[in-house]
Amino acid sequence: MTRISMGLVTLLALSTAVSMVNAHEGHHHEEEQKAFTAPDAAIDITEFKATTIKAPFLEQFTNNWSDRWTASEATKETSAEGEVFSYVGQWAVEEPHKYPGLKGDLGLVAKSAATHHAISASLPEVIDNKDKTLVVQYEVKAQDGLECGGAYMKLLTDSPEGIKFKEFSNDTPYTIMFGPDKCGGTNKVHFIFRHKNLITGVYEEKHLQSAPLAQLNALSNLYTLIVKPDQTFEIKINGETASNGSLLENFEPAVNPLKEIDDPKDSKPADWVEEAKISDPTASKPEDWDENAPARIADETATKPENWLEDEPSEIPDPEAVKPEDWEDEEDGDWIAASVPNPKCQDNGCGKWVRPMISNPAYKGKWSAPMIDNPTYKGVWAPRKIANPDFFEDLHPSNFDKIGAVGFEIWTMQKDILFDNIYIGHSVNDAEALAAESWKIKHAAETKLEELANPRPKSDPTALTFKEDPIKFVVEELKEFFELAREDPMNAIQSRPIATAILAGTVGISFGLLLILMGLLSAAPVSTAASKKKTDEATADDEDHSKVDGSDEGSEEFKKEPVVRKRTTVVEDDE
């Protein structure tokens, strides 16, 4: 068989394998597109059903949501820089465009990027949390991700004058602010509550210390806050505890001020001594103390090695250096070869021998008097304590100010942040039941859709097996083989034995088919001269048979056969 024929066999095998890869990739891409645009074709998507759970406030953004929610029209001016901004961010209630986990499930969506958004809704009844458990729960779905922005919720404080929803802004009094916030170095779940000073009547924000990290991605993430009447709290993210503690211990500034404070009128006496140690005034420098003695001296016991070459320089001009051809002495100066280490000094020292330096046993350094206890020491001064005139004690901060509304007042650089399934009430069980019938089903479907859109990496130990999908398994093996073969063919053969076997099988099948085809084409009668040929060496008969008449196609195919047999056995041709 000629090199051309062998090349055709190899090309046929490789093209077959590549065609398999490309065909399956195109098919897989179409399936992926279908899965993203019509997820119900890829997985079973459950139909959304409104809950029957009752609560002081429960919002799933079903019919007539616009009758309950009012977008803010406020315009504000910051006191620090005089910057004027308006809440012009657009809101909509719609199904998610990224990984929709329930059919017909609507959510409240912040539609504008790099914009201030504000929207709020009145509670059917004012929530008074006195001696009760408060549960706040809602979902956040950052469909386009969230690099910088807030997704927290505010529970607005009830007011006798009523809440002005169209004027809702960052200055609107709130009782609790809860939810994720991310920008730059900030990535946390806020839990802030406003607490009234019982003496001054001034409100102060109490911020959770060591707030947990937020989870913000294209999936629906469930945020839950539980505050109990024993003053403990718990924050859950997707049903898992992310933080817990006490309202009385884990917030800054503390709910209750100190009972005692430093007396602002007290001052340290002039004769107060805070130095615990002083230099011994009775000590004196010993007579034999030589402050001028050097720290290191020459070793007088050292002797010059016998093989030391004092007349040899440590460096010499490079004997292999050559003056550059374009060097002009008049312009560049006298050319001097670069210096290199003297090879004679590699095993012997060169140059003037100097005694090595050693530590001076007589060295003592500068003398100073030893330190002793200060007889006049009184300790570190601190002002005396007095009773805090602003002290008060609130042992039940969970009795929050009454809540009259709920709202989102955020600024975000990314759009399409979706909020859904808001629960505000007093029942942990009801909140969990709501999550079970909505978020858990939705989140499971979203996770599957995300996996379809983002296949597992090749290094994943749970990668696809031949039994699960034989065609896809073979294609993935071939893709990895070709990627490795571009850099190291031998490594590809050794590390991908399955792909190697597949290619070998493909080549074998192609080779067999080609032999069958050639056998069919060569089935015509053979000339006497050709049949009597007993050697593979070139003969006159070979030369005669190699002269083919181009007008006779059948004869051409027949007379090429001896030439093919001869060239496959002559090794010199391959060299």
Side-chain angles (χ1 to χ4, degrees):
M1 183 182 288
T2 64
R3 290 177 179 173
I4 296 176
S5 299
M6 288 296 294
L8 289 173
V9 173
T10 305
L11 181 61
L12 178 61
L14 291 176
S15 62
T16 302
V18 171
S19 298
M20 290 173 63
V21 172
N22 291 336
H24 193 274
E25 276 188 336
H27 178 66
H28 180 67
H29 180 69
E30 291 177 2
E31 287 184 345
E32 208 170 73
Q33 289 288 81
K34 286 182 179 179
F36 185 77
T37 56
D40 53 338
I43 65 171
D44 185 19
I45 302 295
T46 305
E47 192 82 28
F48 166 77
K49 292 182 180 179
T51 185
T52 57
I53 296 172
K54 304 298 181 182
F57 184 85
L58 200 158
E59 179 63 85
Q60 293 186 300
F61 299 99
T62 52
N63 297 332
N64 304 320
W65 72 273
S66 58
D67 295 338
R68 301 185 294 275
W69 290 82
T70 303
S72 175
E73 300 175 358
T75 298
K76 299 295 297 181
E77 179 177 344
T78 58
S79 57
E81 302 176 357
E83 179 187 3
V84 177
F85 63 88
S86 300
Y87 292 93
V88 296
Q90 297 298 306
W91 295 92
V93 168
E94 60 190 23
E95 291 189 61
H97 67 78
K98 191 75 171 285
Y99 310 142
L102 287 173
K103 290 181 181 179
D105 185 25
L106 305 178
L108 178 66
V109 182
K111 298 296 293 180
S112 308
T115 310
H116 292 272
H117 292 74
I119 194 169
S120 56
S122 177
L123 271 58
E125 295 182 4
V126 173
I127 292 180
D128 184 354
N129 199 58
K130 185 176 181 180
D131 300 329
K132 296 178 183 178
T133 295
L134 178 66
V135 182
V136 180
Q137 181 173 280
Y138 71 109
E139 299 172 13
V140 180
K141 183 181 177 74
Q143 300 184 83
D144 296 336
L146 186 59
E147 296 300 323
C148 186
Y152 43 80
M153 185 169 64
K154 289 183 176 181
L155 307 187
L156 306 183
T157 306
D158 186 47
S159 170
E161 297 81 18
I163 299 172
K164 299 178 180 179
F165 296 101
K166 288 191 176 182
E167 298 178 14
F168 175 37
S169 71
N170 60 319
D171 291 332
T172 302
Y174 67 88
T175 299
I176 290 176
M177 185 174 113
F178 171 66
D181 189 14
K182 180 181 178 181
C183 192
T186 299
N187 180 14
K188 60 183 177 181
V189 179
H190 286 294
F191 175 21
I192 306 171
F193 66 93
R194 293 173 72 246
H195 183 261
K196 184 178 180 180
N197 186 303
L198 301 183
I199 302 297
T200 64
V202 176
Y203 280 89
E204 189 174 39
E205 291 182 347
K206 308 298 181 182
H207 293 250
L208 173 63
Q209 300 171 339
S210 303
L213 294 176
Q215 291 188 27
L216 292 164
N217 48 49
L219 305 183
S220 295
N221 290 286
L222 184 70
Y223 289 88
T224 307
L225 170 65
I226 303 171
V227 182
K228 296 182 178 180
D230 63 359
Q231 313 314 306
T232 61
F233 73 89
E234 182 180 15
I235 294 175
K236 292 184 177 183
I237 302 177
N238 295 338
E240 300 292 332
T241 299
S243 178
N244 54 37
S246 169
L247 300 182
L248 297 170
E249 299 174 2
N250 301 106
F251 285 77
E252 182 67 31
V255 170
N256 296 313
L258 297 172
K259 291 184 178 181
E260 293 185 329
I261 60 172
D262 294 338
D263 185 355
K265 298 179 180 179
D266 193 15
S267 61
K268 184 172 71 172
D271 60 350
W272 191 277
V273 179
E274 290 186 317
E275 292 76 23
K277 296 283 186 178
I278 60 171
S279 299
D280 185 356
T282 65
S284 60
K285 184 174 70 172
E287 294 182 358
D288 61 347
W289 193 285
D290 184 5
E291 291 185 342
N292 297 321
R296 296 179 67 80
I297 58 174
D299 185 2
E300 296 298 333
T301 63
T303 57
K304 183 175 69 173
E306 294 181 359
N307 57 356
W308 193 273
L309 306 176
E310 285 197 343
D311 296 332
E312 286 288 341
S314 59
E315 291 187 344
I316 61 173
D318 185 357
E320 298 181 359
V322 179
K323 180 180 178 180
E325 295 180 359
D326 58 349
W327 188 279
E328 297 291 341
D329 290 342
E330 295 182 358
E331 297 181 3
D332 302 325
D334 294 335
W335 181 80
I336 301 175
S339 295
V340 296
N342 190 342
K344 296 180 180 180
C345 302
Q346 290 182 355
D347 299 323
N348 308 306
C350 293
K352 184 178 179 181
W353 181 78
V354 180
R355 296 179 186 276
M357 302 296 288
I358 60 173
S359 298
N360 185 359
Y363 173 74
K364 294 184 178 181
K366 186 175 180 61
W367 180 86
S368 60
M371 303 297 288
I372 62 173
D373 292 337
N374 187 351
T376 61
Y377 173 68
K378 294 185 178 182
V380 178
W381 182 85
R384 61 176 173 266
K385 296 292 184 180
I386 62 172
N388 184 358
D390 297 325
F391 173 74
F392 65 87
E393 191 171 48
D394 180 1
L395 299 180
H396 302 90
S398 66
N399 294 336
F400 302 114
D401 281 0
K402 295 179 180 179
I403 302 168
V406 59
F408 296 96
E409 185 268 315
I410 58 176
W411 179 87
T412 175
M413 286 297 296
Q414 280 71 41
K415 61 181 178 64
D416 288 341
I417 302 174
L418 184 146
F419 305 96
D420 199 5
N421 291 314
I422 303 171
Y423 174 94
I424 304 173
H426 306 291
S427 174
V428 175
N429 291 336
D430 285 351
E432 291 177 348
L434 176 63
E437 67 183 45
S438 57
W439 175 80
K440 284 188 178 180
I441 299 172
K442 179 192 307 185
H443 190 265
E446 291 174 343
T447 303
K448 291 180 181 179
L449 291 173
E450 184 183 42
E451 291 173 354
L452 289 174
N454 303 282
R456 290 170 296 192
K458 299 172 186 176
S459 59
D460 192 338
T462 60
L464 188 69
T465 63
F466 182 84
K467 188 176 181 180
E468 293 174 349
D469 189 341
I471 296 177
K472 186 175 181 181
F473 175 82
V474 170
V475 170
E476 291 298 325
E477 283 290 325
L478 291 174
K479 285 171 62 179
E480 292 182 21
F481 176 89
F482 290 140
E483 289 176 4
L484 291 173
R486 291 190 185 100
E487 299 178 1
D488 189 348
M490 291 305 299
N491 179 42
I493 293 173
Q494 294 173 0
S495 62
R496 291 291 179 272
I498 296 177
T500 304
I502 294 171
L503 288 175
T506 305
V507 172
I509 293 172
S510 302
F511 184 71
L513 291 174
L514 188 61
L515 289 178
I516 293 173
L517 179 63
M518 292 176 61
L520 293 173
L521 293 175
S522 60
V526 183
S527 67
T528 304
S531 62
K532 291 181 179 180
K533 190 173 186 299
K534 300 294 184 179
T535 178
D536 288 330
E537 297 296 330
T539 64
D541 292 335
D542 292 330
E543 293 177 359
D544 292 340
H545 285 290
S546 64
K547 298 176 183 179
V548 181
D549 184 0
S551 62
D552 189 350
E553 294 182 0
S555 175
E556 180 180 4
E557 290 293 329
F558 165 71
K559 294 179 180 180
K560 280 185 179 178
E561 177 62 21
V563 179
V564 173
R565 290 182 61 252
K566 179 190 72 173
R567 295 192 65 180
T568 55
T569 57
V570 178
V571 179
E572 288 78 9
D573 288 347
D574 292 333
E575 296 176 350

